[in-house]
Amino acid sequence: MTMAPLWRDGADVVVIGMGVAGLAAALAAHGAGSRVVVLNKAAQTRGVTATHYAQGGIAVVLPDNDDSIEAHVADTLAAGAGLCDTDAVYSIVADGYRAVCELVGEGAQFDEVVPGRWDVTREGGHSRRRVVHAGGDATGAEVQRTLDEAGRVLDIRSGHVVLRVLHDDTAVTGVLVNSADGVGIISAPSVILATGGLGHLYGATTNPDGSTGDGIALALWAGLAVSDLEFIQFHPTMLYSVDGGGRRPLITEALRGEGAILLDGQGNSITAGVHPMGDLAPRDVVAAAIDARLKATGDRCAYLDARGIPGLEARFPTVTAACRNAGIDPVGQPIPIVPGAHYSCGGVVTDVYGQTELPGLYAAGEVARTGMHGANRLASNSLLEGLVVGGRAGKAAAAHAVLAGRPSGFARPDLPRHTALRRSDLQQAMSRDASVERNAAGLQGLAGLLSAAPVRPVTGRRDVEDVALTLAARAVTAAALARTESRGCHHRADYPSSGGEPGRSALIRLAADGNAVQLEALAAVG
């Protein structure tokens, strides 16, 4: 199928997405002198990103406490269960304080213990108190507010859904976009994917509506490799709802850092004897423990008891408000929780500057796989990575645009035959067979269902998202089937241990038909 564009435009750098990574990248490219266009598929420009909903904070080594870069790196590597790239982790962690200070220079205000000294808390998997926060538990909202304000200098276009990253035999040439004006092309030598995650593969998630795996699909369609997609982090403590599908509020891990405890319906500890760090164990451990306890007891939810935290309402106003909106008073009663789809640890393969294998194409934030997170992301490392790699990608994209120059022409893009499951069917199947715990039988059935997905005409945003979700699901399922071990946040009931094998990551690319995926050989992680 060949599509004729109705309009054309040009830029030096096109950024797709406007969370922390997207706006950090766009501002960096703009500061380097590039003409930047930011594309946002939502009709509005504020309050719709995963960044906005982030509660806990930013993990960063401050120069005036008992922490160190080496300690933060060690904690990250431990959580990543043998799949982190050590050099990448060190590079990003070491650059964190600079990036956060730069954000403060743009107007961000973090909570302080005394004027001029940031308050820090501790979260699961961290050996030190190193998580800076804002508004108690509204860090993401403050980061997004700051970047939104700084981004007023940018050309931000809402209601623009990217259909393809365009390229010739050697490099990026632009993007194919659907907007209110129809389908058009924005020619550009540099494109940055900052589209966020894929939480809406599942029926219940902490992610906003736009987290539909778009960037994964765009990269695969462009011939790029994705990796570590089987490692989808389920946040241990998502607010439980009797009728709840779609986005649900998360209950920040920082509550457990301040002393909240996890209990089952009979009042027993869920993590006692499971891990030396108890309720502050890494997220995959805690989520798996909750999932196992719920299956053992038949209960529909577990509980987080935060009643012992002094000044709970003042310290955690976002959590308090979310609970009260659901008819729960966390000051006087335990909070009902379940694990929920939260964060994709893998993504488009990049280096620590966001560069992919295709010249001119960059990726940053949750959509990217830098090697930072490995098999399980350490709490509050996501905003850190988004700030650092987003800024770096923006500068690199601007530099590439200067060297490459604007593309001189364009070709009408060929689009593959799209297939997609109905979203509710996809979410039900993924929630059943590719959730906290998986097994071969369930994954094989899921693969069969996905391969039989019917052809879907693409006429609007919802269709584009469903096509992207179905392709992302194929990649997740293939990766999960291939990893015959339990590691990080990938739990196989039929392979309950890693067997002591070294960490290896698989690359996945798109097959010639434009819909199926192919798994390349597992490669040792450096």
Side-chain angles (χ1 to χ4, degrees):
M1 171 184 173
T2 301
M3 181 169 288
L6 300 175
W7 54 268
R8 281 185 284 167
D9 199 352
D12 298 318
V13 178
V14 172
V15 179
I16 309 170
M18 53 181 301
V20 58
L23 288 181
L27 288 165
H30 176 81
S34 287
R35 186 196 170 199
V36 181
V37 172
V38 180
L39 301 180
N40 175 34
K41 67 179 178 179
Q44 68 272 34
T45 60
R46 292 173 182 262
V48 295
T49 68
T51 296
H52 174 84
Y53 291 114
Q55 294 180 1
I58 306 174
V60 61
V61 176
L62 304 182
D64 57 351
N65 64 10
D66 65 348
D67 202 2
S68 68
I69 291 170
E70 289 73 17
H72 190 174
V73 169
D75 290 344
T76 300
L77 296 178
L83 280 187
C84 296
D85 181 315
T86 303
D87 291 340
V89 174
Y90 193 95
S91 173
I92 294 167
V93 166
D95 205 18
Y97 182 65
R98 179 209 58 79
V100 173
C101 288
E102 191 173 286
L103 187 68
V104 170
E106 295 283 3
Q109 298 181 10
F110 293 102
D111 298 336
E112 299 177 327
V113 286
V114 294
R117 183 173 181 178
W118 293 332
D119 188 22
V120 289
T121 191
R122 183 182 170 203
E123 296 183 349
H126 289 274
S127 61
R128 308 281 197 281
R129 296 178 73 92
R130 65 167 66 98
V131 179
V132 298
H133 47 84
D137 56 357
T139 309
E142 175 63 9
V143 170
Q144 190 70 54
R145 181 200 66 79
T146 302
L147 293 172
D148 283 344
E149 290 299 316
R152 292 185 182 277
V153 300
L154 300 171
D155 179 358
I156 298 175
R157 305 182 186 181
S158 296
H160 283 59
V161 179
V162 177
L163 305 176
R164 280 292 181 280
V165 173
L166 305 177
H167 57 92
D168 55 23
D169 293 335
T170 60
V172 163
T173 60
V175 289
L176 182 71
V177 183
N178 190 19
S179 72
D181 296 323
V183 175
I185 285 178
I186 302 178
S187 297
S190 293
V191 173
I192 303 174
L193 301 175
T195 54
L198 39 69
H200 283 270
L201 285 175
Y202 299 90
T205 177
T206 65
N207 291 187
D209 289 344
S211 297
T212 52
D214 302 11
I216 299 299
L218 289 170
L220 287 169
W221 287 324
L224 299 187
V226 297
S227 185
D228 292 342
L229 286 186
E230 66 269 40
F231 301 109
I232 296 174
Q233 191 175 77
F234 288 80
H235 197 286
T237 53
M238 183 179 70
L239 186 63
Y240 170 72
S241 171
V242 174
D243 58 354
R247 196 195 82 82
R248 300 293 304 158
L250 67 82
I251 306 299
T252 175
E253 196 157 19
L255 266 79
R256 283 177 281 136
E258 298 297 335
I261 57 175
L262 285 165
L263 303 172
D264 63 20
Q266 292 71 48
N268 301 312
S269 170
I270 289 175
T271 61
V274 172
H275 192 278
M277 297 181 76
D279 288 348
L280 286 175
R283 286 178 173 175
D284 65 297
V285 175
V286 179
I290 296 171
D291 184 67
R293 185 63 60 87
L294 293 179
K295 287 176 178 175
T297 62
D299 293 337
R300 301 186 69 179
C301 67
Y303 296 90
L304 183 67
D305 190 347
R307 292 176 293 180
I309 298 177
L312 175 68
E313 186 171 5
R315 171 65 178 86
F316 297 102
T318 305
V319 167
T320 302
C323 289
R324 287 179 175 162
N325 285 341
I328 301 149
D329 181 7
V331 176
Q333 65 189 113
I335 304 166
I337 56 91
V338 291
H342 182 54
Y343 192 89
S344 175
C345 299
V348 184
V349 177
T350 76
D351 64 15
V352 294
Y353 297 92
Q355 175 67 62
T356 72
E357 60 189 308
L358 178 64
L361 183 59
Y362 302 81
E366 190 174 353
V367 72
R369 186 268 190 192
T370 62
M372 174 74 171
H373 306 307
N376 185 35
R377 176 178 67 90
L378 184 65
S380 288
N381 269 355
S382 53
L383 291 178
L384 167 69
E385 185 191 41
L387 279 175
V388 171
V389 181
R392 290 176 176 181
K395 292 175 183 177
H400 176 81
V402 171
L403 293 175
R406 294 274 183 90
S408 57
F410 72 95
R412 292 183 177 182
D414 290 328
L415 301 183
R417 183 168 167 266
H418 289 300
T419 62
L421 291 179
R422 188 171 62 178
R423 189 176 304 192
S424 59
D425 293 340
L426 174 67
Q427 291 172 336
Q428 182 181 24
M430 289 292 291
S431 299
R432 181 187 63 236
D433 296 324
S435 188
V436 176
E437 188 173 76
R438 300 98 181 253
N439 61 55
L443 290 168
Q444 288 165 353
L446 182 58
L449 178 68
L450 291 165
S451 67
V455 173
R456 168 72 70 89
V458 176
T459 59
R461 170 182 165 178
R462 182 83 175 185
D463 299 316
V464 172
E465 291 179 338
D466 286 353
V467 166
L469 280 169
T470 300
L471 181 54
R474 289 190 178 105
V476 170
T477 302
L481 262 172
R483 187 167 294 280
T484 52
E485 63 171 357
S486 289
R487 185 184 294 269
C489 50
H490 170 69
H491 291 263
R492 285 284 296 262
D494 44 353
Y495 295 96
S497 71
S498 68
E501 295 295 321
R504 295 179 180 274
S505 288
L507 299 180
I508 288 178
R509 297 183 192 273
L510 196 62
D513 67 358
N515 283 295
V517 297
Q518 295 176 328
L519 188 77
E520 295 186 359
L522 293 171
V525 175

